[in-house]
């Protein structure tokens, strides 16, 4: 990491190297991260800055009888105390969500989940703000909480959202996809039907950096500057403007470095709005930073899908139909951040990677006394749930028919000639060679030998009653990332296109301004590589600018692994526009026709005469010089592209997990994990592998230890990392990665997204492996030792 060197290192993929020029260059951003020089929201300190703290509800469901803020207000360091009543007077106690609902900013009538925001204290320092919280007296009348999603629908269940006139139940929406009649017919005609109830438990993205904000309203200019952990700065600006009524041109959102997002930092949280209101009340900048418990208890959770899946097949395991009913626990407000027309996200891609003639799903959303959210944690808008469902069902089918799980997959995987493939629920998969990736994973793992080892182990155990049991779990996933075509999807009314602005400076260095936002994915490196590949400028000389609405063009930000599919494509197209301008400038420089020029790695030369040429650096200088340019050719070298993707990209992968289970204790050890990913053309293979490593660790976490559990009173049982367990290197094996490359036909460089693939694909492989080891048909995640042990005893625990 010597400053000024290109940071290139030997390519471990030499032989099948990345088609992109600078392949595995080390991440530019690591020079500051590894030296502790990252700049995160909590590092922002403005002169005269005050600190906010949130008073939260101890109850899951209670009526607020009174709030007395007198004690807190008389604290010598407290500058302001804000309650729901204050917000009500400003018309801001409730705000619209992206899912056609409203959510409370500070509770007025009732609290609806434990940890809900009740009041906001602003003080001279963080300690005083926290101390003053205990001086606020709130009188609550506890109400019966609704914690179980099934109970939410009972006729006598308490109505959580009784502030909505005429509301008499906790039902939010019913949604369906696919062809019900065709699916019914497929099931009626099927030789075999397997079904299974399964829960994808509530989990949390749990980034190491919690959410935070510094809001600074200049009372003279009326300009609001917000530093925040925002995955989508431009979307945030538009939403703030709509909510607080300051025109967008007077709001600047700055996302500095983000210490992990994983979907947790897409939404606008009450603490942010309170900080904005607090700066307007006090005239001083206000910082609010969540602590760990606040993050785990109150911000976007993920999953909580109760699914009943059915699979119809022939006796030899050929799938004829898939059917699923979902009960979706959305918490107290429907606050999922996803394309507006999709109340269950992209769950309807649940036919997965298989040729399934008929499919149908229904999703029913309900309110419960839990935090809102639902779409987070590398979920690709609920493809995590969809992928888990189908991969579990295929294993259940194999179990019921007494077939090998690999063989059942082999019989049903989409074949290359079926692409582009329109699945039974309407998605058009862009490209894929599934059997190749699948066979590669089996070969890397030595599948047949593993099965033989398993058989030997079972015999030994039957004879001696001793030893661990080994299991092999498979999954094959299809992702849909890069939302999305404007005609098909929008978020809060905004079409999902993103822009890139590229400027090549006179001396040949460049800057690329993007609307997406890295949270650790390495955009400063990979987007520079994209432009470098198109223009021949060294990636070290290309500055990637993100996360500042004053310095970047409009776009909807980073989630759903859309940066490469959308902003990446925009960057390519902007660079190609610059190249075309450069061609005209080069033609003027060389006094030849532009048509006679040939582009060769950063240089135009005259056809047939390699020596007669000019490099991109010389062209850049000339473009800014007094050179006479032809009529209609603008000087300078810059371009903008707003990219509206024609389709999503469909990365896929084949995963195989080997576990050893101690039947005496239920302890699971992940022995091996083979992951073959295909995300089309890889821009930076090392970064892609890093993304996969992270997602595989996520999968082990969710499959074996992560869960946000509640007691019957609605108390959150996982409000710290002592209780909400995250996987560490101790639980992870040394990953064995493989790849195939099937370019996306519609992306300008054939790249597909990768950021969430492994999180989507891996949980099923781990669960399938554990259940294979213990010979149990189904048990829900997380497969903690207690769950595994109970499942072995024939009494699976519910989460
Ligand atoms: N990349 C590549 N070649 C490809 C595809 C991607 O080199 N064919 C590179 C990209 O250039 C980028 C990275 O891989 O540097 C991820 O790209 P992409 O798949 O486009 O995903 P995004 O950049 O849009 O990231 C979002 C995705 C999501 S939605 C979650 S959630 C998640 C994830 O990324 N959160 C993360 N990975 C994360 N990784 C880290 N370290 N931190 C998070 O918060
Ligand atoms: Cu669903 S988590 Mo990511 O899309 O930010």
């Amino acid at each position: 990491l010597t400053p000024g060197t290109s940071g290139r290192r030997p390519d471990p993929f030499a032989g099948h190297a990345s088609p992109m020029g600078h392949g595995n260059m080390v991440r530019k951003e690591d020079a500051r991260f590894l030296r502790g020089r990252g700049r995160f929201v909590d590092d922002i300190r403005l002169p005269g800055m005050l600190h906010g703290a949130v008073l939260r509800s101890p109850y899951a469901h209670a009526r607020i009888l009174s709030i007395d803020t007198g004690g807190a207000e008389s604290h010598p360091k407290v500058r302001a105390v804000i309650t729901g009543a204050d917000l009500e007077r400003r018309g801001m106690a409730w705000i619209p969500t992206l899912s056609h609902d409203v959510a409370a900013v500070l509770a007025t009538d009732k609290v609806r989940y434990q940890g809900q925001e009740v009041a906001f204290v602003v003080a001279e320092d963080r300690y005083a703000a926290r101390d003053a919280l205990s001086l606020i007296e709130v009188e609550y009348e506890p109400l019966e909480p609704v914690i179980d999603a099934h109970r939410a629908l009972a006729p006598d269940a308490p109505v959580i959202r009784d502030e909505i006139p005429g509301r008499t139940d906790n039902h939010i929406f019913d949604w369906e996809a696919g062809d019900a009649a065709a699916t019914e017919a497929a099931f009626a005609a099927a030789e075999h039907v397997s079904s299974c109830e399964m829960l994808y438990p509530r989990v949390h993205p749990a980034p190491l950096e919690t959410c935070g904000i510094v809001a600074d309203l200049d009372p003279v200019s009326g300009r609001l500057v917000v530093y925040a952990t925002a995955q989508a700065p431009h979307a945030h600006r538009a939403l703030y403007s709509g909510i607080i009524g300051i025109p967008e041109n007077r709001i600047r959102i700055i996302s500095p470095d983000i210490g992990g997002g994983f979907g947790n930092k897409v939404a606008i949280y009450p603490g942010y709005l309170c900080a904005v209101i607090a700066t307007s009340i006090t005239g001083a900048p206000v910082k609010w930073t969540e602590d760990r418990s606040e993050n785990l208890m109150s911000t976007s959770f993920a999953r909580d899908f109760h699914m009943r899946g059915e699979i119809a097949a022939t006796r030899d395991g050929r799938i004829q139909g898939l059917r699923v009913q979902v009960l979706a626990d959305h918490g107290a407000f429907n606050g999922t951040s996803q394309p507006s027309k999709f109340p269950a996200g992209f769950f309807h891609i649940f036919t997965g990677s298989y040729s399934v003639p008929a499919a149908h799903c229904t999703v029913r959303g309900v309110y419960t006394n839990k935090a809102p959210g639902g779409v987070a944690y590398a979920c690709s808008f609920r493809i995590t749930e969809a992928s888990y469902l189908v991969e579990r069902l295929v294993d259940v089918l194999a179990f019921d028919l007494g077939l090998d799980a690999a063989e059942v997959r082999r019989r049903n995987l989409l074949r290359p000639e079926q692409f582009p493939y329109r699945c039974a629920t309407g998605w058009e998969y862009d490209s894929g060679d599934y059997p190749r990736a699948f066979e590669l994973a089996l070969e890397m793992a030595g599948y047949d030998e593993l099965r033989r080892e398993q058989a030997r182990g079972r015999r030994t155990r039957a004879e001696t009653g001793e030893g661990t049991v080994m299991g092999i779990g498979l999954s094959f996933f299809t992702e849909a990332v890069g939302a999305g075509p404007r005609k098909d999807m929008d978020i809060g009314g905004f079409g999902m296109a993103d822009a890139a602005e590229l400027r090549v400076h006179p001396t040949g260095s460049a800057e690329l301004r993007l609307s997406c936002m890295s949270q650790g994915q390495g955009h400063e490196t990979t987007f520079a590589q994209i432009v470098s590949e198109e223009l021949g400028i060294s990636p070290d000389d290309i500055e990637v600018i993100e996360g500042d609405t004053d310095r970047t063009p409009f776009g909807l930000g980073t989630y759903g692994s859309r940066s490469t599919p959308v902003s990446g494509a925009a960057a390519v197209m902007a660079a190609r526009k610059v190249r075309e301008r450069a061609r005209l400038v080069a033609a003027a420089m060389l006094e030849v026709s532009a048509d006679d020029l040939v582009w060769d790695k950063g240089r135009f030369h005259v056809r047939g005469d390699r020596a007669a040429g000019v490099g991109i650096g010389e062209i850049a200088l000339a473009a800014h010089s007094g050179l006479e340019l032809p009529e209609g050719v603008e000087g300078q070298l810059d371009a903008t592209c707003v990219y509206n993707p024609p389709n999503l990209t469909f990365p896929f992968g084949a995963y195989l997990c080997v576990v050893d289970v101690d039947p005496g204790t239920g302890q699971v050890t992940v022995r091996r994990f083979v992951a073959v990913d295909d995300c089309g053309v890889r821009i930076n293979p090392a970064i892609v592998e890093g993304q996969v490593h992270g997602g595989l660790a996520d999968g082990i976490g969710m499959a074996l230890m992560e869960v946000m559990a509640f007691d019957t009173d609605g108390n959150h049982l996982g409000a710290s990392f002592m209780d909400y367990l995250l996987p560490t290197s101790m639980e992870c094996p040394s990953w064995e990665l493989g790849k195939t490359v099937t370019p996306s036909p519609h992306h300008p460089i054939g790249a597909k997204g990768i950021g969430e693939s492994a999180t989507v694909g891996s949980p099923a492989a781990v669960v399938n492996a554990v259940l294979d080891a213990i010979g149990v048909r189904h048990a829900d995640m997380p497969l903690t030792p207690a769950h595994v042990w109970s499942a072995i005893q024939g009494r699976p625990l519910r989460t």
Side-chain angles (χ1 to χ4, degrees):
L1 293 174
T2 315
T5 63
S6 77
R8 266 181 257 175
R9 62 174 155 135
D11 182 354
F13 288 101
H16 42 130
S18 158
M20 302 298 290
H22 293 264
N24 283 333
M25 78 179 267
V26 297
R27 304 199 322 167
K28 294 184 185 214
E29 41 274 84
D30 286 346
R32 69 175 184 283
F33 290 144
L34 295 179
R35 290 180 171 104
R37 292 293 174 89
R39 187 165 175 259
F40 300 88
V41 169
D42 203 42
D43 294 323
I44 309 279
R45 291 186 179 86
L46 301 181
M49 188 172 80
L50 303 175
H51 296 261
V54 175
L55 180 71
R56 295 179 182 276
S57 167
Y59 292 103
H61 199 190
R63 198 160 296 287
I64 297 178
L65 300 179
S66 65
I67 304 182
D68 180 356
T69 57
E73 275 155 7
S74 56
H75 187 290
K77 288 189 171 177
V78 167
R79 296 283 199 86
V81 180
I82 304 168
T83 62
D86 300 322
L87 297 186
E88 222 158 24
R89 281 192 288 279
R90 294 164 175 255
M92 281 181 56
W94 294 84
I95 55 164
T97 70
L98 294 174
S99 298
H100 318 287
D101 195 0
V102 290
V105 178
L106 292 176
T108 48
D109 54 339
K110 288 203 305 192
V111 287
R112 292 174 172 83
Y113 59 94
Q114 191 187 51
Q116 189 184 337
E117 298 80 358
V118 175
F120 191 76
V121 169
V122 189
E124 284 162 27
D125 61 59
R126 191 169 181 191
Y127 305 98
R130 281 297 184 107
D131 284 350
L133 292 182
S134 60
L135 303 175
I136 299 175
E137 280 177 34
V138 186
E139 205 184 333
Y140 294 101
E141 177 197 326
L143 302 170
E144 183 195 331
V146 181
I147 301 309
D148 178 50
H150 296 277
R151 164 86 182 124
L153 290 174
D156 64 337
V159 180
I160 296 167
R161 296 298 299 278
D162 54 354
E163 93 287 358
I164 302 172
R167 195 164 242 303
T168 55
D169 61 24
N170 297 311
H171 172 262
I172 312 176
F173 65 84
D174 277 313
W175 185 75
E176 64 176 323
D179 186 334
T183 309
E184 180 65 50
F187 273 82
E191 292 171 5
H192 175 87
V193 173
S194 284
S195 65
C196 187
E197 301 254 352
M198 57 185 99
L199 169 67
Y200 206 132
R202 181 173 274 241
V203 290
H204 198 277
L208 283 190
E209 179 203 32
T210 60
C211 300
I213 184 171
V214 178
D216 184 16
L217 179 71
D218 182 329
V220 178
S221 68
R223 195 166 152 80
L224 173 68
V225 179
V226 166
Y227 302 82
T229 46
Q231 289 180 222
H234 285 276
H236 276 205
R237 181 171 70 169
L239 293 171
Y240 280 118
S241 176
I243 294 167
I244 54 188
I246 299 180
E248 268 171 285
N249 64 316
R250 272 194 248 138
I251 303 178
R252 177 180 186 184
I253 311 284
I254 301 173
S255 262
D257 288 327
I258 293 186
F262 306 102
N264 190 210
K265 291 162 181 170
V266 176
I268 289 186
Y269 295 114
Y272 300 176
L273 290 166
C274 288
V276 169
I277 293 157
T279 181
S280 77
I281 291 175
T282 60
V286 174
K287 176 189 277 188
W288 170 69
T289 308
E290 273 176 350
D291 69 17
R292 180 63 53 201
S293 296
E294 294 184 284
N295 180 258
L296 287 169
M297 289 174 74
S298 70
T299 63
S300 291
F301 75 93
R303 328 289 190 245
D304 221 341
F305 255 33
H306 301 248
M307 307 184 276
R308 183 186 153 71
E310 291 171 281
I311 187 164
T314 59
R315 264 186 291 275
D316 60 355
R318 283 173 215 280
I319 304 171
Q320 307 290 303
L322 268 176
R323 193 155 61 184
V324 49
Q325 291 133 31
V326 179
L327 184 61
D329 184 337
H330 279 232
F333 309 110
N334 191 16
T336 52
S337 312
Q338 63 197 354
S340 319
K341 289 174 203 153
F342 299 89
F346 297 168
F347 179 77
H348 54 310
I349 195 161
F350 66 95
T351 57
S353 313
Y354 307 107
S355 197
V356 180
H360 184 247
C361 70
T362 60
V363 182
R364 169 164 289 186
V366 294
Y367 293 120
T368 59
N369 288 117
K370 300 181 199 165
V375 175
Y377 200 171
C379 66
S380 304
F381 303 125
R382 297 214 189 264
I383 299 178
T384 33
E385 290 92 323
S387 180
Y388 179 74
L389 172 93
V390 64
E391 289 309 303
R392 205 60 283 292
L393 277 181
V394 166
D395 260 44
V396 165
L397 177 68
F399 186 97
D400 290 349
L401 293 175
L403 296 171
D404 174 69
E407 192 48 40
V408 173
R409 285 184 172 79
R410 224 176 240 136
R411 286 177 193 169
N412 292 287
L413 277 179
L414 290 167
R415 296 179 312 279
E417 64 274 17
Q418 287 176 278
F419 288 85
Y421 172 73
R422 186 167 289 277
C423 80
T425 52
W427 298 95
E428 187 180 290
Y429 298 14
D430 59 350
S431 63
D433 185 342
Y434 292 7
R436 187 159 62 109
F438 188 61
E439 297 305 330
L440 177 59
L442 295 184
E443 187 190 310
M444 283 174 64
Y447 183 72
D448 295 337
E449 177 50 33
L450 285 170
R451 283 287 176 216
R452 283 192 289 273
E453 181 199 326
Q454 185 179 47
R456 284 195 298 275
R458 282 186 177 151
R459 277 197 300 277
T460 313
R461 213 185 135 72
E463 285 157 19
T464 65
E466 286 188 0
T468 57
V469 292
M470 177 263 237
I472 307 156
L474 291 160
S475 74
F476 198 109
F477 69 92
T478 297
E479 267 263 65
V481 298
R486 285 168 70 145
K487 64 177 180 1
D488 299 329
M489 46 194 83
D490 68 273
I491 287 202
F494 295 108
M496 300 191 76
D498 279 64
E501 276 173 23
L502 178 61
R503 299 181 193 169
V504 182
H505 303 309
T507 53
S509 63
E511 58 189 47
L512 176 69
R513 298 160 177 265
L514 299 168
S515 49
C516 54
M517 180 64 210
S518 188
Q519 313 127 45
Q521 296 90 339
H523 289 183
E524 282 166 59
T525 308
T526 48
F527 280 87
Q529 288 180 273
I530 288 176
V531 172
S532 171
E533 184 71 12
E534 296 295 326
L535 292 181
I537 300 171
S538 161
D540 290 312
D541 294 332
I542 302 167
E543 174 90 1
V544 175
I545 301 168
E546 295 185 338
D548 181 343
T549 54
D550 271 13
R551 298 173 72 207
T552 57
F554 183 83
L556 288 194
T558 291
Y559 38 82
S561 304
R562 62 192 297 279
S563 304
T564 303
V566 187
S567 297
V572 176
M573 301 314 276
R576 289 182 185 169
K577 283 187 190 176
V578 163
R579 198 164 72 203
E580 284 319 297
R581 173 96 59 85
R583 176 191 294 275
L584 301 176
V585 175
M589 292 167 76
L590 297 165
E591 297 181 349
V592 294
S593 157
D595 298 336
D596 288 336
L597 291 177
V598 178
W599 174 254
D600 184 22
K601 295 194 189 83
R603 192 168 173 275
F604 278 112
H605 66 78
V606 179
R607 197 182 309 280
D609 182 2
R610 283 193 163 272
V614 281
I616 187 76
E618 296 160 90
I619 300 173
L621 192 57
H624 291 81
S625 74
L627 174 76
E628 192 76 43
L629 293 172
E631 188 63 27
V633 178
E634 291 173 29
Q636 307 186 0
L637 272 189
D638 53 21
T640 298
C641 170
V642 179
Y643 193 79
N644 174 26
N647 188 4
L648 287 89
T649 66
F650 292 75
F652 56 91
Y655 290 175
L656 187 150
C657 177
V658 183
V659 297
D660 295 300
V661 180
D662 181 338
T665 63
Q667 181 70 41
V668 176
T669 307
V670 179
R671 188 205 297 184
R672 290 180 65 194
F673 203 110
V674 173
V676 174
D677 270 275
D678 191 324
C679 59
V681 172
R682 296 181 171 203
I683 298 155
N684 185 317
I687 285 184
V688 167
E689 296 208 334
Q691 291 289 299
V692 173
H693 285 182
L696 297 178
D698 285 343
I700 286 187
M702 286 180 282
L704 301 183
M705 59 190 82
E706 291 178 46
V707 61
M708 302 183 76
F710 295 81
D711 70 11
T712 49
D713 290 333
N715 292 311
H716 196 297
L717 303 178
S720 82
F721 283 160
M722 292 291 283
D723 306 297
Y724 187 81
L725 299 183
L726 294 181
T728 68
S729 58
M730 297 299 289
E731 287 80 30
C732 298
S734 185
W735 313 112
E736 300 169 58
L737 304 193
K739 69 166 177 181
T740 59
V741 176
T742 315
S744 167
H746 60 79
H747 187 278
I749 56 170
K752 304 180 177 188
I754 186 70
E756 296 157 296
S757 287
T759 312
V760 166
S762 59
V766 181
V767 170
N768 287 344
V770 174
L771 298 180
D772 179 60
I774 61 178
V776 167
R777 187 176 184 267
H778 178 73
D780 282 330
M781 296 186 280
L783 294 172
T784 59
H787 276 220
V788 173
W789 190 85
S790 303
I792 293 171
Q793 316 310 311
R795 291 179 275 115
L797 290 179
R798 290 311 303 244
T799 298

